Amino acid sequence: MYCKQQSPNCWRTCIFAALKLFAMQNLRPYNTFGIEAWAASFIEINDATELRRYLVKHNKHAQPLVLGGGSNILLMDDLQVPVFKNNILGKKIVWEDADAAIVEVGGGENWHGLVLWCLELGLGGIENLSLIPGTAGAAPIQNIGAYGVEIKEVLHSVEAVELASGRLRQFSASDCRLGYRDSFFKNEGKGRFFITSIQLKLSKRDHRLRLDYGDIRRRLEETGITHPDICAVSEAVTHIRQSKLPDPTRMGNAGSFFKNPIVPLEKALRLRELWPNMPLYEQPNQQAKLAAGWLIEQCGWKGKRVGNVGCHEKQALVLVNYGGATGREVWALATDIGASVAQKFGVEIAPEVNLWP
Ligand SMILES: Cc1cc2nc3c(=O)[nH]c(=O)nc-3n(C[C@H](O)[C@H](O)[C@H](O)COP(=O)(O)OP(=O)(O)OC[C@H]3O[C@@H](n4cnc5c(N)ncnc54)[C@H](O)[C@@H]3O)c2cc1C
């Protein structure tokens, strides 16, 4: 840094600029899309008390963003607001009887690590959610779901710190208002809370195995398992996911980019008359869920590459970074895909991924 004037003020400015640069954090290793963007301030949070202390001390800060494993975000630009990285660890059983146990998990715990820990203890209920990337604290945000199960079925409560006040808040499962890829934390509570821990109520015996979704049953048959247990289901799900989804450590992605659209049943049935193969899942209240991946595939996007980004060859719902992509490139592709689905089917598809900032 070359300073012509060399006045004390100028030196001070230069030193501050250098310090600021030093404090900036490249977020590329912190998002599974592998997109480069810089955070002006990156604060690692190891426990709830540390977080509350920080908020009280720096209460004039702009609204911070909470980062878990970065597996459901798209970085559109550098971030001027502070980023709080959730590193809060710990898992323990806090209550149990003969049939069930409640486990409490630090928000920064890796989700799949938690699934494996529960399997080791013989606790059932989240085996179908094996291998979902990210942290436990983010799981209620979009009510993670896979292979016919959502966290909604086992979530007991959530503990969170309110970012504006530093106050600790407890949420019951019903307070979280979990819906399909949706929750209180994506609506009225958006950006207002840092989830520090969650509690799950899991079964200790008579596990209710869910085998009818995707290829779980077929995979169990292939491996000769006639009486599956929760570990066998987890292994089957893990195998299926590994064979279908791109590994973010090899090819940047954030899983399903879009949510499956929910439309009035009447409209879905009219579309089905035109496209008899169109998957359609009836929902309560005369609604129907359509498969966004199928709609995208019919528009010819599957396997298509545009510059550094593309639509994955095996799973049209997944947008990928072939290397060096920006968030804006990914978003431009997503916008084009959304427009062609709207034009062909008259159906809007919304992103599941959170755009930052
Ligand atoms: C290959 C792949 C497969 C996937 N498969 C599935 C799937 O099957 N089902 C599914 O539901 N999802 C899936 N996802 C999406 C993703 O894994 C989940 O949404 C996951 O819960 C995100 O966790 P995270 O810690 O990475 O959250 P991040 O990406 O870090 O954050 C996501 C959002 O949650 C907020 N957030 C994160 N942590 C907290 C916290 N502690 N407190 C408050 N807000 C917080 C962030 O601010 C952000 O808005 C997949 C992603 C990938 C890359």
Side-chain angles (χ1 to χ4, degrees):
M1 207 170 299
Y2 179 68
C3 186
K4 275 189 196 155
Q5 295 168 13
Q6 303 211 337
S7 71
N9 266 351
C10 182
W11 276 111
R12 205 171 297 137
T13 312
C14 293
I15 289 166
F16 276 135
L19 284 175
K20 204 171 163 196
L21 202 66
F22 186 68
M24 283 176 82
Q25 175 71 51
N26 185 353
L27 296 176
R28 187 136 83 104
Y30 293 97
N31 73 102
T32 60
F33 252 125
I35 283 169
E36 182 156 307
W38 291 79
S41 151
F42 186 81
I43 302 122
E44 304 209 35
I45 302 293
N46 298 303
D47 64 60
T49 318
E50 181 184 316
L51 170 63
R52 296 176 70 193
R53 221 179 281 137
Y54 183 93
L55 289 168
V56 170
K57 203 167 157 199
H58 300 267
N59 64 351
K60 286 187 205 82
H61 257 312
Q63 176 113 23
L65 286 164
V66 183
L67 178 66
S71 63
N72 206 14
I73 56 168
L74 177 63
L75 292 163
M76 301 288 285
D77 229 325
D78 292 341
L79 304 172
Q80 302 311 323
V81 298
V83 173
F84 286 169
K85 169 80 179 81
N86 187 354
N87 289 341
I88 302 176
L89 300 180
K91 21 188 198 312
K92 57 182 184 226
I93 293 180
V94 291
W95 173 91
E96 63 187 312
D97 67 7
D99 301 318
I102 296 179
V103 298
E104 187 173 285
V105 194
E109 284 284 349
N110 173 268
W111 174 263
H112 183 61
L114 168 66
V115 174
L116 297 179
W117 181 77
C118 292
L119 292 174
E120 257 173 44
L121 296 177
L123 300 175
I126 51 175
E127 54 282 357
N128 291 48
L129 304 180
S130 298
L131 217 63
I132 296 184
T135 53
I141 303 278
Q142 73 154 5
N143 179 24
I144 57 166
Y147 295 90
V149 173
E150 291 179 333
I151 195 182
K152 179 182 181 179
E153 295 165 44
V154 294
L155 188 74
H156 182 258
S157 62
V158 164
E159 187 187 82
V161 170
E162 190 175 22
L163 292 165
S165 63
R167 269 193 5 236
L168 202 58
R169 289 268 307 266
Q170 304 290 334
F171 294 87
S172 68
S174 68
D175 292 336
C176 296
R177 297 212 292 276
L178 303 181
Y180 166 63
R181 300 295 183 273
D182 200 20
S183 72
F184 162 80
F185 301 104
K186 286 195 90 173
N187 294 285
E188 300 95 309
K190 191 175 168 136
R192 288 174 48 204
F193 297 95
F194 181 125
I195 296 181
T196 47
S197 70
I198 62 169
Q199 290 193 345
L200 306 178
K201 189 170 183 185
L202 302 168
S203 56
K204 284 173 76 175
R205 60 182 188 192
D206 301 331
H207 304 299
R208 205 171 132 229
L209 299 184
R210 310 284 275 279
L211 311 177
D212 291 325
Y213 204 92
D215 293 333
I216 298 181
R217 219 177 265 285
R218 191 192 308 163
R219 174 67 192 163
L220 291 169
E221 276 165 22
E222 269 169 20
T223 45
I225 296 171
T226 46
H227 294 91
D229 59 7
I230 49 177
C231 293
V233 174
S234 169
E235 276 163 26
V237 168
T238 301
H239 176 87
I240 299 165
R241 290 182 70 99
Q242 281 171 336
S243 62
K244 284 193 173 163
L245 288 169
D247 176 354
T249 60
R250 288 159 189 246
M251 190 183 281
N253 75 91
S256 303
F257 194 91
F258 299 98
K259 293 196 265 192
N260 289 319
I262 297 183
V263 300
L265 180 61
E266 198 190 328
K267 177 170 182 168
L269 292 173
R270 258 188 280 123
L271 288 171
R272 178 62 96 54
E273 278 172 21
L274 297 171
W275 287 278
N277 297 331
M278 185 187 77
L280 182 163
Y281 309 95
E282 281 197 36
Q283 304 290 302
N285 305 325
Q286 292 292 301
Q287 305 270 84
K289 193 191 276 179
L290 307 181
W294 186 89
L295 300 172
I296 295 168
E297 198 176 335
Q298 299 312 303
C299 295
W301 287 102
K302 195 173 177 182
K304 208 167 185 174
R305 178 172 177 164
V306 184
N308 293 326
V309 297
C311 193
H312 192 247
E313 56 187 18
K314 286 192 191 163
Q315 176 51 268
L317 258 189
V318 178
L319 303 190
V320 294
N321 171 8
Y322 286 107
T326 63
R328 286 176 191 277
E329 270 177 282
V330 177
W331 184 241
L333 174 65
T335 308
D336 287 349
I337 291 174
S340 62
V341 168
Q343 194 183 26
K344 189 172 177 105
F345 297 100
V347 172
E348 302 285 333
I349 50 171
E352 178 182 312
V353 171
N354 301 278
L355 305 190
W356 276 22

